Amino acid sequence: MNIQLINPSDGGVLNKTPEGLTQNGLVIYPCKNGAYRIVKDDNYTENFGYQWNKFAGTQVDKSSALSISKSRFFAESQWDKEDLGGKNILEVGSGAGRFSQVVLDFTKGNLFSVDYSNAVEANYKNNGPNERFNLFQASIYEMPFAPGQFDKVFCFGVLQHTPDVELSVKTLIDMVKPGGELVVDFYPINGWWTKLNAKYIFRPYTKKLTHEKLFKKIEKNIDWLIKTSRFFSKIGIGKLTNRFLPICDIDGTLPQNLTKEQLREWCILDTFDMFSPQYDQPQKISTVIGWFNKYGMKGVSGKYVHFENCVAPVVRGTKQ
Ligand SMILES: C[S@@+](CC[C@H](N)C(=O)[O-])C[C@H]1O[C@@H](n2cnc3c(N)ncnc32)[C@H](O)[C@@H]1O
């Protein structure tokens, strides 16, 4: 394991104790409910803390009896289960821990997971305690690790929700050790029409609502929205019309084998996830490839990766 922990504010060495991370014998960052707390909850990711604690098990394969998180993790990372044994793996933006679960249950790797929100509590409930699991509430911009230590770094579903996406990519690259690998996915932008979508039309209003108010609005309207979206898809016009409905993309982003109850739950969660974040900055594959090259990665490649009925743009590279 042997990952050197440092205080992101002054670079001093931190030690792990059951009470928290200590510096010169004093607890600087407490350990609460299974996670070391480098930051407080009141930051721009509070919406994510709210959603992941409310829907802690919804997208976690072992709770949902689905396999979408496992399929996505291995399809996007292209990493070999056996090869991850004993490796130090960094996951940034872990949410409720859908991918933490995959790493912990299907590999023998040592996992260090970071999230800026108190979603770390949902993650710990889903995946802790486990001696290979280390959980931190911290920002991607101020992580408690000395640079260049991780064999593998992944960041799925997160970059578009950070304020400075290029800086986020750079900080991830800083964490990879020479010869180690970084894989990221993100929301794609294809042209001006990407933003001709209910999500981008309503977000300036919805992201300002309190979480409770937004949640209630979604819950109240979800049933007719699901019916309408399904109807349009059934008569063959869904691709054209569903982008204007204020509901997540059922055909393109959700597993197709959900029960009726699961479908309702996933739709509420994913619709909240599209309307509540402070930042939603989709990227082009070519832009992200450019940043990988600029900040010292080699063998960089990017493409759309398919898993189950879903697809996501993925960029990968190896640290020089
Ligand atoms: C859409 S969720 C994805 C969570 C998880 N990766 C998944 O796919 O289920 C985005 C996550 O990124 C986290 N996040 C956003 N900005 C962050 C930052 N600056 N540092 C660390 N995590 C951040 C949020 O708190 C949230 O849990």
Side-chain angles (χ1 to χ4, degrees):
M1 205 165 309
N2 283 337
I3 289 293
Q4 176 72 70
L5 300 176
I6 58 160
N7 185 338
S9 57
D10 64 11
V13 172
L14 295 174
N15 290 302
K16 269 166 77 173
T17 72
E19 291 73 41
L21 301 177
T22 62
Q23 187 170 4
N24 303 324
L26 291 176
V27 174
I28 304 286
Y29 301 118
C31 183
K32 205 176 108 202
N33 298 336
Y36 296 105
R37 310 298 177 120
I38 314 297
V39 292
K40 301 254 187 293
D41 294 349
D42 57 342
N43 60 61
Y44 75 84
T45 59
E46 270 177 320
N47 60 302
F48 288 112
Y50 178 90
Q51 86 180 35
W52 293 128
N53 282 301
K54 219 171 176 66
F55 293 97
T58 306
Q59 296 186 340
V60 176
D61 287 352
K62 73 176 173 192
S63 311
S64 64
L66 298 163
S67 57
I68 184 132
S69 301
K70 183 178 175 210
S71 303
R72 177 167 156 195
F73 177 79
F74 286 111
E76 293 192 4
S77 71
Q78 295 286 300
W79 293 336
D80 177 76
K81 281 191 197 93
E82 306 302 325
D83 180 54
L84 292 179
K87 297 274 162 48
N88 289 321
I89 304 161
L90 173 63
E91 171 186 31
V92 180
S94 48
R98 63 190 295 187
F99 302 117
S100 313
Q101 190 242 315
V102 174
V103 173
L104 291 168
D105 290 357
F106 294 97
T107 83
K108 297 262 182 299
N110 304 311
L111 180 64
F112 293 75
S113 295
V114 170
D115 199 285
Y116 200 12
S117 75
N118 68 5
V120 288
E121 302 200 356
N123 192 340
Y124 192 74
K125 268 187 208 143
N126 284 321
N127 295 305
N130 182 324
E131 60 180 17
R132 292 186 289 114
F133 187 35
N134 307 271
L135 189 55
F136 302 83
Q137 185 176 1
S139 171
I140 192 171
Y141 304 118
E142 290 181 310
M143 290 191 274
F145 314 113
Q149 299 189 87
F150 290 95
D151 300 287
K152 309 276 180 190
V153 178
F154 71 96
C155 182
F156 293 166
V158 179
L159 287 176
Q160 63 275 353
H161 296 306
T162 62
D164 182 339
V165 184
E166 178 174 352
L167 182 59
S168 301
V169 169
K170 181 187 176 300
T171 61
L172 292 172
I173 292 172
D174 287 346
M175 289 295 129
V176 187
K177 77 179 198 192
E181 275 186 288
L182 168 64
V183 184
V184 302
D185 73 9
F186 44 89
Y187 292 168
I189 184 155
N190 301 311
W192 58 267
W193 59 91
T194 299
K195 296 214 167 170
L196 200 60
N197 184 302
K199 170 161 85 160
Y200 293 105
I201 295 167
F202 293 121
R203 270 181 44 76
Y205 162 71
T206 56
K207 69 181 189 180
K208 293 199 187 113
L209 295 175
T210 63
H211 308 324
E212 287 74 20
K213 204 164 181 177
L214 176 60
F215 181 79
K216 279 197 185 122
K217 266 188 198 302
I218 293 170
E219 207 181 24
K220 199 169 141 202
N221 289 289
I222 206 72
D223 296 311
W224 74 262
L225 284 167
I226 292 174
K227 274 190 201 131
T228 312
S229 161
R230 300 227 103 168
F231 173 72
F232 286 156
S233 298
K234 201 169 157 196
I235 62 170
I237 60 166
K239 277 205 172 18
L240 209 65
T241 54
N242 285 352
R243 62 191 297 127
F244 297 108
L245 290 175
I247 182 170
C248 61
D249 174 8
I250 296 179
D251 297 328
T253 61
L254 265 48
Q256 294 305 289
N257 50 347
L258 297 175
T259 64
K260 204 169 166 225
E261 291 70 35
Q262 279 180 317
L263 177 67
R264 189 171 191 278
E265 198 172 305
W266 279 65
C267 283
I268 295 175
L269 168 57
D270 278 7
T271 304
F272 186 88
D273 185 280
M274 78 188 213
F275 282 128
S276 64
Q278 182 69 30
Y279 304 101
D280 184 315
Q281 312 195 77
Q283 303 296 324
K284 286 194 168 137
I285 290 182
S286 57
T287 306
V288 178
I289 288 180
W291 293 331
F292 268 54
N293 286 320
K294 180 173 171 187
Y295 295 112
M297 300 300 271
K298 62 179 180 189
V300 179
S301 63
K303 62 175 184 188
Y304 281 91
V305 171
H306 294 261
F307 50 97
E308 302 201 358
N309 64 305
C310 306
V311 59
V314 174
V315 171
R316 57 190 311 107
T318 303
K319 184 85 166 271
Q320 312 240 18

